[in-house]
Amino acid sequence: MLPFLDLQPTYAASREAIDTALARVAASGWFILGKELEAFEAQWAAYCGSRHAVGLGNGLDALHLGLLALGVGEGDEVIVPANTYIATWLAVSQCGATPVPVEPDPRTYNLDPARIAAAVTPRTRAILPVHLYGQPADMDAIGAIARQHGLKLLDDCAQAHGARWNGRIVGSLADASAWSFYPGKNLGAMGDGGGLTTDDAAVAERVRVLRNYGSRVKYHNEVKGLNSRLDEMQAAVLSAKLPQLDTLTTERRRIAARLLDGLAGAPVGLPHVPAQAEPAWHLFVIRHPDRDRLQRALAEEGVGTLIHYPVPPHRQPAYAELGLGEGRFPITEAIHREVLSLPLWPGMTDAQVDTVIDAVRRHA
Ligand SMILES: *Cc1c(COP(=O)(O)O)cnc(C)c1O
């Protein structure tokens, strides 16, 4: 059996540091808004080449609070990828704004800069690209469009810890960047976690107030905030794991290179990496016209796979209100019909990678 994801080797890589951190927090008796959070925020800001980092409860809240802090509100429109995980859209809806989907570049699966301008209206307030699967979006082109139209730029970095675009690290390429530290992400906590990075002190301060009931001083509430704080246990775990992140990303890149090499010439669509991109390889996603059959055949061989994602946001009952029927976003819909994510996790042996390659080659 080859599981789709095994987090044990990642734990093993930082086990002593994690266990020490957990015991330290338990003994401290201080669990919310303390020095573990402050320390992780400083480390994460430095890692992302950003002036500020704010620890939050999860990635969805990071997107939501980031949009609020950039001034997105009731009646606004935000340009989002049609092809993304639904959290990207939900964050826009939670601000009282409307997500306006734009089709991806069919090679990279990321927001197609050439299609953004046509979606801009007088109500557009921001662009929200996603670095899907850990492949960085074209932040040069998207940033230029944002500046040209006077729009804010927030990127969804939930799958892209350590990815680079044109040599610059993701997390410092927008007005603000939203992170998830969900356990399965490239830097994962042992529970829920999220964060925002930004160079803008006012945006960071607004998010700090919003995450804590809209309060700067205890029992004085300036705005209607949320409760969304990265707790001390999770902050300590993330600080313990951060020193290994680059090593683990290098390992992901090595496994991805082996998969690309081994699957070259097979009748499947392989990930396309633009020359400017250094992906974080959160997922290794192939395409096949008979995806469901291929997934079943791999399962019978004991190779675990997943689909990211089976139903696009515009076809979810949650977004029936937008009235976006089948066929409105054909590139996105074809992607959802055909993609299949193969196992890729730090600690996979060459033999395990070769098992995946061999099974795909025989069944594709
Ligand atoms: C995981 C993820 C999120 C949400 O993060 P949570 O921490 O689970 O709330 C948002 N966007 C994308 C692209 C994700 O992969």
Side-chain angles (χ1 to χ4, degrees):
M1 272 304 289
L2 184 55
F4 173 72
L5 176 63
D6 182 357
L7 291 176
Q8 289 307 326
T10 298
Y11 173 46
S14 305
R15 184 174 189 147
E16 264 192 49
I18 293 170
D19 292 355
T20 305
L22 291 172
R24 182 175 70 239
V25 176
S28 79
W30 191 278
F31 301 108
I32 300 283
L33 294 179
K35 56 181 196 278
E36 300 288 345
L37 175 60
E38 265 177 46
F40 175 67
E41 287 177 339
Q43 291 160 21
W44 189 240
Y47 183 85
C48 296
S50 220
R51 287 213 185 91
H52 310 278
V54 184
L56 300 166
N58 55 69
L60 175 58
D61 286 352
L63 290 162
H64 175 199
L65 298 185
L67 289 170
L68 286 180
L70 291 175
V72 172
E74 205 73 43
D76 290 336
E77 293 176 357
V78 175
I79 291 174
V80 295
N83 183 55
T84 183
Y85 180 54
I86 197 167
T88 318
W89 289 40
L90 291 174
V92 175
S93 302
Q94 287 175 356
C95 296
T98 304
V100 175
V102 167
E103 286 271 54
D105 179 325
R107 289 167 308 164
T108 63
Y109 307 138
N110 275 326
L111 196 56
D112 184 350
R115 294 171 184 265
I116 293 174
V120 174
T121 77
R123 289 162 68 174
T124 310
R125 236 352 229 275
I127 308 177
L128 174 35
V130 179
H131 309 292
L132 199 66
Y133 308 151
Q135 309 278 344
D138 183 346
M139 294 302 283
D140 293 321
I142 297 170
I145 296 163
R147 279 191 299 279
Q148 196 183 330
H149 294 271
L151 304 174
K152 297 294 185 187
L153 186 58
L154 173 79
D155 53 350
D156 180 340
C157 305
Q159 304 186 354
H161 312 73
R164 287 173 185 268
W165 178 260
N166 251 336
R168 292 179 303 144
I169 194 155
V170 161
S172 61
L173 308 178
D175 294 311
S177 298
W179 298 94
S180 167
F181 303 115
Y182 179 81
K185 302 293 160 91
N186 287 23
L187 179 62
M190 292 179 143
D192 276 312
L196 192 94
T197 49
T198 180
D199 276 345
D200 187 329
V203 168
E205 183 58 20
R206 248 173 263 147
V207 172
R208 275 182 212 287
V209 171
L210 284 168
R211 77 174 171 186
N212 193 32
Y213 301 107
S215 158
R216 213 181 303 250
V217 178
K218 209 171 169 84
Y219 305 131
H220 290 265
N221 303 84
E222 302 164 27
V223 290
K224 296 184 190 73
L226 278 75
N227 174 3
S228 184
R229 302 165 303 206
L230 183 68
D231 69 63
E232 292 286 282
M233 283 282 182
Q234 301 310 335
V237 166
L238 292 167
S239 290
K241 291 177 78 174
L242 183 54
Q244 285 301 314
L245 179 58
D246 283 341
T247 305
L248 297 175
T249 303
T250 301
E251 199 168 337
R252 286 178 182 275
R253 289 179 177 147
R254 188 183 57 74
I255 295 165
R258 194 174 181 92
L259 285 168
L260 283 170
D261 195 46
L263 291 172
V268 295
L270 291 175
H272 167 77
V273 181
Q276 304 95 319
E278 291 169 70
W281 294 106
H282 175 58
L283 297 170
F284 190 97
V285 177
I286 62 169
R287 271 177 92 156
H288 191 273
D290 203 355
R291 184 263 319 272
D292 293 342
R293 181 192 58 73
L294 178 58
Q295 184 176 38
R296 277 195 303 274
L298 294 176
E300 275 163 25
E301 299 234 359
V303 174
T305 59
L306 286 177
I307 295 167
H308 298 91
Y309 298 89
V311 182
H314 74 278
R315 299 301 297 140
Q316 298 283 359
Y319 279 104
E321 74 212 31
L322 296 179
L324 299 168
E326 185 80 32
R328 275 295 298 275
F329 295 96
I331 300 174
T332 293
E333 289 164 19
I335 289 170
H336 282 70
R337 272 195 304 275
E338 296 180 1
V339 287
L340 187 66
S341 305
L342 302 181
L344 189 170
W345 30 269
M348 259 178 105
T349 63
D350 283 352
Q352 286 176 315
V353 179
D354 292 345
T355 298
V356 175
I357 293 168
D358 176 61
V360 172
R361 290 198 81 98
R362 277 185 292 109
H363 292 289

